[in-house]
Amino acid sequence: MNIPLSAPDITEAEIQAVTAVLRGSRLSLGPKLEEFERAVASYIGTAEAVAVNSGTSALHLALRGFGVSENHEVLVPSFAFIAVANAVRFQGATPVFVDIEPQTLNLDPRKLEQAITPQTRGIIVVHTFGVPAALEEILEIAKRHHLFVIEDACEALGAEYGGRKVGSFADAGVFGFYPNKQITTAEGGMLVSNNPAVAALARKLRNQGRSGSGEWLEYQELGYNYRISELHCALGIEQLKRLDSILERREAVAREYHRGLSNYPLIELPTMEMPCRRISWFVFVVRLREPFRAAHRDRVIQEMAARGIACGRYFAPIHLQPAYRTQPHRCMDLMETEAVAPRTLALPFFSRISNEEIEAVCQVLREVTGKI
Ligand SMILES: Cc1ncc(COP(=O)(O)O)c(C=O)c1O
């Protein structure tokens, strides 16, 4: 058996599209970039979309767009991918870690307000594992305290809240297209916003701070090379065309896992349905029930790997990472984060996994957890 944790879903149409770019003469900053941006803006429902080379770059550009700098604080979850806090630190600002709701694993709006200080400038709300966060409550708190909100929807392309796509609710939204995502460009990301100034600055900064329409080689700001190539954009355009069917299949995979693991007492399953929200399945993360601890979970991962099944630890809290121990950050009470993180286990999850493979994962998982 050899079942990976994730695998991209690439068809002949994508291969043809990338090959066609290679046969042409524009490999960067060309028509595919514009087409990909237009397609994502129209899908998400925002006025602007700016394509960049990663989700991390998109987060960084959004934070710069909102003027985040030294002595500022930005509220973020610790139960998240590390880029969320790293991007805040790129600007010399301090990430403040706020706890999550145990059911959705997203920022708990009831815990946000007590983290706000005069230094707080904004909130990065992550739609973790494709589950929409409590947007209404969070946006209301942000409005009352004059804070910006960035929706980190890197794991949630296609997820909906009240019938509207996530990424379109806040001051800016970011997406990532790494190969384990719902759609991939191999590497890539997108900043979406209804704020033309934020989008214009991001366009300039992704290309070394160069003015779009002005003088050739005139640099108006300290920028970066966050450009994405035409090859990546061509891949993204084709993938986006198949997104609806990919999301349907991913939901079916989640249902199949539910069927295979329901009524198994040692494992808690993720919620399939939530009122007013459509989940865009990114990963399938189960929780080992108490009294399982991190050491048991890690043994389960090892034993599954020995049987040819790759599982993962999603997520190790950011505030416990070596890169954060000695660096400026602030932690609120992170009781739920620290209780949940050691027991989470990501199972193989991708649109092309077969039902037989899912059944095999469930069977081996029952065997392995049963004897630990
Ligand atoms: C929540 C979240 N934010 C940001 C990122 C960063 O995206 P990238 O790896 O494209 O830089 C990821 C990537 O997995 C993510 O899951």
Side-chain angles (χ1 to χ4, degrees):
M1 200 152 28
N2 182 12
I3 309 180
L5 184 57
S6 72
D9 176 353
I10 304 290
T11 64
E12 195 50 39
E14 280 97 327
I15 294 168
Q16 298 275 333
V18 173
T19 314
V21 173
L22 280 171
R23 292 188 201 285
S25 56
R26 286 294 281 275
L27 296 184
S28 190
L29 297 177
K32 291 294 170 192
L33 173 70
E34 286 172 23
E35 189 183 339
F36 188 34
E37 291 182 340
R38 276 198 307 274
V40 171
S42 138
Y43 179 78
I44 299 299
T46 51
E48 303 275 356
V50 182
V52 289
N53 60 353
S54 74
T56 309
S57 305
L59 264 178
H60 186 199
L61 292 181
L63 289 163
R64 255 197 80 174
F66 297 121
V68 171
S69 65
E70 279 168 34
N71 303 321
H72 291 166
E73 292 183 344
V74 179
L75 311 187
V76 299
S78 175
F79 187 79
F81 186 61
I82 196 156
V84 173
N86 282 356
V88 174
R89 281 179 53 195
F90 293 166
Q91 284 304 103
T94 305
V96 176
F97 295 112
V98 177
D99 212 1
I100 51 171
E101 307 171 313
Q103 191 209 2
T104 64
L105 302 176
N106 287 324
L107 272 183
D108 188 339
R110 292 166 308 170
K111 311 245 175 95
L112 270 175
E113 218 149 1
Q114 51 205 303
I116 297 171
T117 71
Q119 279 69 48
T120 312
R121 288 295 176 278
I123 303 168
I124 300 178
V125 52
V126 182
H127 302 297
T128 304
F129 304 155
V131 177
L135 281 169
E136 219 170 308
E137 292 91 331
I138 292 172
L139 289 170
E140 190 274 320
I141 293 168
K143 194 168 172 199
R144 219 159 359 94
H145 292 271
H146 309 290
L147 306 176
F148 69 77
V149 178
I150 298 169
E151 278 177 79
D152 183 335
C154 282
E155 301 173 7
L157 183 66
E160 292 175 13
Y161 185 93
R164 218 171 107 190
K165 297 279 184 313
V166 303
S168 67
F169 286 82
D171 301 291
V174 298
F175 294 91
F177 307 119
Y178 187 73
N180 63 351
K181 297 297 190 304
Q182 288 86 341
I183 67 166
T184 187
T185 58
E187 294 284 358
M190 191 77 73
L191 167 69
V192 297
S193 182
N194 287 317
N195 182 332
V198 168
L201 181 66
R203 284 208 168 83
K204 205 187 286 180
L205 295 180
R206 80 175 160 194
N207 192 18
Q208 305 288 4
R210 189 165 160 182
S211 64
S213 54
E215 288 295 302
W216 193 63
L217 289 187
E218 180 180 272
Y219 301 96
Q220 300 175 329
E221 311 261 356
L222 175 65
Y224 317 92
N225 178 358
Y226 284 171
R227 295 185 305 262
I228 179 170
S229 83
E230 290 286 284
L231 301 154
H232 296 85
C233 292
L235 179 52
I237 292 163
E238 291 308 312
Q239 288 259 290
L240 194 61
K241 289 180 190 163
R242 296 198 297 113
L243 179 58
D244 287 344
S245 68
I246 289 174
L247 293 184
E248 266 171 38
R249 173 60 194 151
R250 291 175 86 97
E251 188 177 327
V253 171
R255 283 195 194 287
E256 201 59 26
Y257 268 125
H258 259 265
R259 224 177 43 76
L261 291 170
S262 59
N263 305 322
Y264 182 58
L266 299 186
I267 281 172
E268 201 179 322
L269 296 172
T271 311
M272 281 296 304
E273 313 278 351
M274 294 181 68
C276 301
R277 297 180 210 198
R278 180 188 185 195
I279 299 170
S280 165
W281 287 89
F282 165 51
V283 283
F284 194 82
V285 174
V286 300
R287 290 179 228 178
L288 304 181
R289 282 196 200 275
E290 303 271 13
F292 277 108
R293 294 272 168 263
H296 302 116
R297 188 267 316 267
D298 293 347
R299 265 195 14 240
V300 170
I301 293 177
Q302 270 172 19
E303 299 228 356
M304 298 286 286
R307 308 274 294 269
I309 299 172
C311 296
R313 303 149 104 218
Y314 275 95
F315 284 108
I318 302 174
H319 71 284
L320 300 178
Q321 297 292 331
Y324 275 75
R325 276 194 213 128
T326 57
Q327 294 300 318
H329 68 271
R330 197 155 64 76
C331 286
M332 302 303 290
D333 177 358
L334 297 171
M335 200 177 74
E336 296 295 347
T337 300
E338 292 192 2
V340 163
R343 294 185 291 111
T344 51
L345 178 74
L347 304 182
F349 192 79
F350 44 96
S351 49
R352 288 187 178 193
I353 191 168
S354 68
N355 288 356
E356 291 71 35
E357 287 174 314
I358 296 170
E359 181 46 40
V361 174
C362 295
Q363 198 183 321
V364 175
L365 184 62
R366 277 191 241 108
E367 278 169 39
V368 166
T369 47
K371 64 181 176 84
I372 275 180

mmCIF file of all heavy atoms in Angstrom, residues 54-56 59 81 83-84 126 152 154-155 176-178 181 188, ligand 1:
data_model
loop_
_atom_site.group_PDB
_atom_site.id
_atom_site.type_symbol
_atom_site.label_atom_id
_atom_site.label_comp_id
_atom_site.label_asym_id
_atom_site.label_seq_id
_atom_site.Cartn_x
_atom_site.Cartn_y
_atom_site.Cartn_z
ATOM 1 N N SER A 54 2.944 33.188 -3.863
ATOM 2 C CA SER A 54 2.542 32.305 -2.760
ATOM 3 C C SER A 54 1.454 32.962 -1.920
ATOM 4 O O SER A 54 1.252 34.192 -1.990
ATOM 5 C CB SER A 54 3.733 31.981 -1.849
ATOM 6 O OG SER A 54 4.073 33.097 -1.052
ATOM 7 N N GLY A 55 0.814 32.130 -1.105
ATOM 8 C CA GLY A 55 -0.169 32.658 -0.156
ATOM 9 C C GLY A 55 0.522 33.536 0.880
ATOM 10 O O GLY A 55 -0.036 34.541 1.330
ATOM 11 N N THR A 56 1.738 33.167 1.245
ATOM 12 C CA THR A 56 2.488 33.958 2.227
ATOM 13 C C THR A 56 2.746 35.364 1.684
ATOM 14 O O THR A 56 2.591 36.356 2.409
ATOM 15 C CB THR A 56 3.846 33.271 2.526
ATOM 16 O OG1 THR A 56 3.596 31.900 2.847
ATOM 17 C CG2 THR A 56 4.573 33.937 3.666
ATOM 18 N N LEU A 59 -0.383 37.402 1.916
ATOM 19 C CA LEU A 59 -0.605 37.867 3.293
ATOM 20 C C LEU A 59 0.288 39.066 3.603
ATOM 21 O O LEU A 59 -0.161 40.064 4.174
ATOM 22 C CB LEU A 59 -0.212 36.755 4.268
ATOM 23 C CG LEU A 59 -1.282 35.820 4.801
ATOM 24 C CD1 LEU A 59 -0.636 34.773 5.698
ATOM 25 C CD2 LEU A 59 -2.371 36.572 5.556
ATOM 26 N N PHE A 81 -1.316 27.618 10.078
ATOM 27 C CA PHE A 81 -0.035 27.481 9.376
ATOM 28 C C PHE A 81 0.844 28.676 9.739
ATOM 29 O O PHE A 81 0.360 29.811 9.854
ATOM 30 C CB PHE A 81 -0.298 27.420 7.867
ATOM 31 C CG PHE A 81 0.927 27.129 7.067
ATOM 32 C CD1 PHE A 81 1.618 25.942 7.245
ATOM 33 C CD2 PHE A 81 1.399 28.037 6.134
ATOM 34 C CE1 PHE A 81 2.763 25.678 6.510
ATOM 35 C CE2 PHE A 81 2.533 27.777 5.395
ATOM 36 C CZ PHE A 81 3.220 26.588 5.585
ATOM 37 N N ALA A 83 2.830 30.666 8.381
ATOM 38 C CA ALA A 83 2.905 31.877 7.546
ATOM 39 C C ALA A 83 2.021 32.997 8.081
ATOM 40 O O ALA A 83 2.322 34.181 7.889
ATOM 41 C CB ALA A 83 2.488 31.537 6.112
ATOM 42 N N VAL A 84 0.936 32.620 8.761
ATOM 43 C CA VAL A 84 -0.011 33.614 9.271
ATOM 44 C C VAL A 84 0.697 34.572 10.238
ATOM 45 O O VAL A 84 0.529 35.788 10.163
ATOM 46 C CB VAL A 84 -1.187 32.886 9.979
ATOM 47 C CG1 VAL A 84 -2.112 33.867 10.665
ATOM 48 C CG2 VAL A 84 -1.942 32.011 8.989
ATOM 49 N N VAL A 126 -8.503 33.121 9.920
ATOM 50 C CA VAL A 126 -8.183 31.996 9.034
ATOM 51 C C VAL A 126 -9.408 31.075 8.945
ATOM 52 O O VAL A 126 -9.994 30.737 9.969
ATOM 53 C CB VAL A 126 -6.976 31.194 9.588
ATOM 54 C CG1 VAL A 126 -6.605 30.063 8.637
ATOM 55 C CG2 VAL A 126 -5.776 32.105 9.833
ATOM 56 N N ASP A 152 -7.781 34.975 5.784
ATOM 57 C CA ASP A 152 -6.837 34.025 5.214
ATOM 58 C C ASP A 152 -7.649 32.810 4.765
ATOM 59 O O ASP A 152 -8.030 31.953 5.572
ATOM 60 C CB ASP A 152 -5.763 33.631 6.224
ATOM 61 C CG ASP A 152 -4.724 32.701 5.604
ATOM 62 O OD1 ASP A 152 -5.071 32.015 4.621
ATOM 63 O OD2 ASP A 152 -3.590 32.659 6.104
ATOM 64 N N CYS A 154 -6.560 30.696 2.451
ATOM 65 C CA CYS A 154 -5.620 29.819 1.725
ATOM 66 C C CYS A 154 -6.100 28.367 1.709
ATOM 67 O O CYS A 154 -5.791 27.622 0.797
ATOM 68 C CB CYS A 154 -4.236 29.884 2.364
ATOM 69 S SG CYS A 154 -3.329 31.361 1.900
ATOM 70 N N GLU A 155 -6.843 27.981 2.762
ATOM 71 C CA GLU A 155 -7.303 26.587 2.839
ATOM 72 C C GLU A 155 -8.770 26.469 2.444
ATOM 73 O O GLU A 155 -9.357 25.405 2.649
ATOM 74 C CB GLU A 155 -7.124 26.085 4.288
ATOM 75 C CG GLU A 155 -5.679 26.161 4.746
ATOM 76 C CD GLU A 155 -5.485 25.836 6.222
ATOM 77 O OE1 GLU A 155 -6.454 25.415 6.883
ATOM 78 O OE2 GLU A 155 -4.357 25.995 6.706
ATOM 79 N N GLY A 176 -4.045 30.494 -1.395
ATOM 80 C CA GLY A 176 -2.770 29.853 -1.707
ATOM 81 C C GLY A 176 -3.027 28.651 -2.612
ATOM 82 O O GLY A 176 -4.074 28.001 -2.510
ATOM 83 N N PHE A 177 -2.090 28.371 -3.482
ATOM 84 C CA PHE A 177 -2.288 27.308 -4.480
ATOM 85 C C PHE A 177 -1.167 26.279 -4.464
ATOM 86 O O PHE A 177 -0.759 25.762 -5.507
ATOM 87 C CB PHE A 177 -2.442 27.932 -5.877
ATOM 88 C CG PHE A 177 -3.501 28.993 -5.950
ATOM 89 C CD1 PHE A 177 -3.184 30.305 -6.291
ATOM 90 C CD2 PHE A 177 -4.830 28.691 -5.659
ATOM 91 C CE1 PHE A 177 -4.158 31.290 -6.355
ATOM 92 C CE2 PHE A 177 -5.826 29.665 -5.717
ATOM 93 C CZ PHE A 177 -5.482 30.973 -6.066
ATOM 94 N N TYR A 178 -0.644 26.011 -3.273
ATOM 95 C CA TYR A 178 0.339 24.933 -3.099
ATOM 96 C C TYR A 178 -0.324 23.599 -3.502
ATOM 97 O O TYR A 178 -1.550 23.496 -3.465
ATOM 98 C CB TYR A 178 0.784 24.929 -1.614
ATOM 99 C CG TYR A 178 1.907 23.997 -1.304
ATOM 100 C CD1 TYR A 178 3.204 24.299 -1.717
ATOM 101 C CD2 TYR A 178 1.682 22.803 -0.622
ATOM 102 C CE1 TYR A 178 4.240 23.429 -1.454
ATOM 103 C CE2 TYR A 178 2.714 21.928 -0.349
ATOM 104 C CZ TYR A 178 3.994 22.248 -0.772
ATOM 105 O OH TYR A 178 5.022 21.376 -0.521
ATOM 106 N N LYS A 181 -3.566 22.032 -2.043
ATOM 107 C CA LYS A 181 -4.785 22.839 -1.958
ATOM 108 C C LYS A 181 -5.857 22.314 -2.921
ATOM 109 O O LYS A 181 -5.585 21.476 -3.776
ATOM 110 C CB LYS A 181 -4.460 24.296 -2.275
ATOM 111 C CG LYS A 181 -3.492 24.940 -1.285
ATOM 112 C CD LYS A 181 -4.083 24.980 0.097
ATOM 113 C CE LYS A 181 -3.321 25.800 1.097
ATOM 114 N NZ LYS A 181 -1.927 25.461 1.286
ATOM 115 N N GLY A 188 1.909 29.417 -5.678
ATOM 116 C CA GLY A 188 1.183 30.606 -6.104
ATOM 117 C C GLY A 188 0.218 31.072 -5.042
ATOM 118 O O GLY A 188 -0.077 30.350 -4.093
HETATM 119 C C1 LIG B 1 -3.799 29.266 6.413
HETATM 120 C C2 LIG B 1 -2.642 29.416 5.496
HETATM 121 N N1 LIG B 1 -2.099 30.635 5.329
HETATM 122 C C3 LIG B 1 -1.059 30.832 4.511
HETATM 123 C C4 LIG B 1 -0.495 29.796 3.812
HETATM 124 C C5 LIG B 1 0.719 30.057 2.970
HETATM 125 O O1 LIG B 1 0.569 29.719 1.653
HETATM 126 P P1 LIG B 1 1.877 29.395 0.765
HETATM 127 O O2 LIG B 1 2.395 28.074 1.205
HETATM 128 O O3 LIG B 1 1.345 29.406 -0.624
HETATM 129 O O4 LIG B 1 2.849 30.487 1.014
HETATM 130 C C6 LIG B 1 -1.024 28.508 3.936
HETATM 131 C C7 LIG B 1 -0.427 27.386 3.200
HETATM 132 O O5 LIG B 1 -0.639 26.247 3.394
HETATM 133 C C8 LIG B 1 -2.114 28.310 4.817
HETATM 134 O O6 LIG B 1 -2.628 27.087 5.017
#
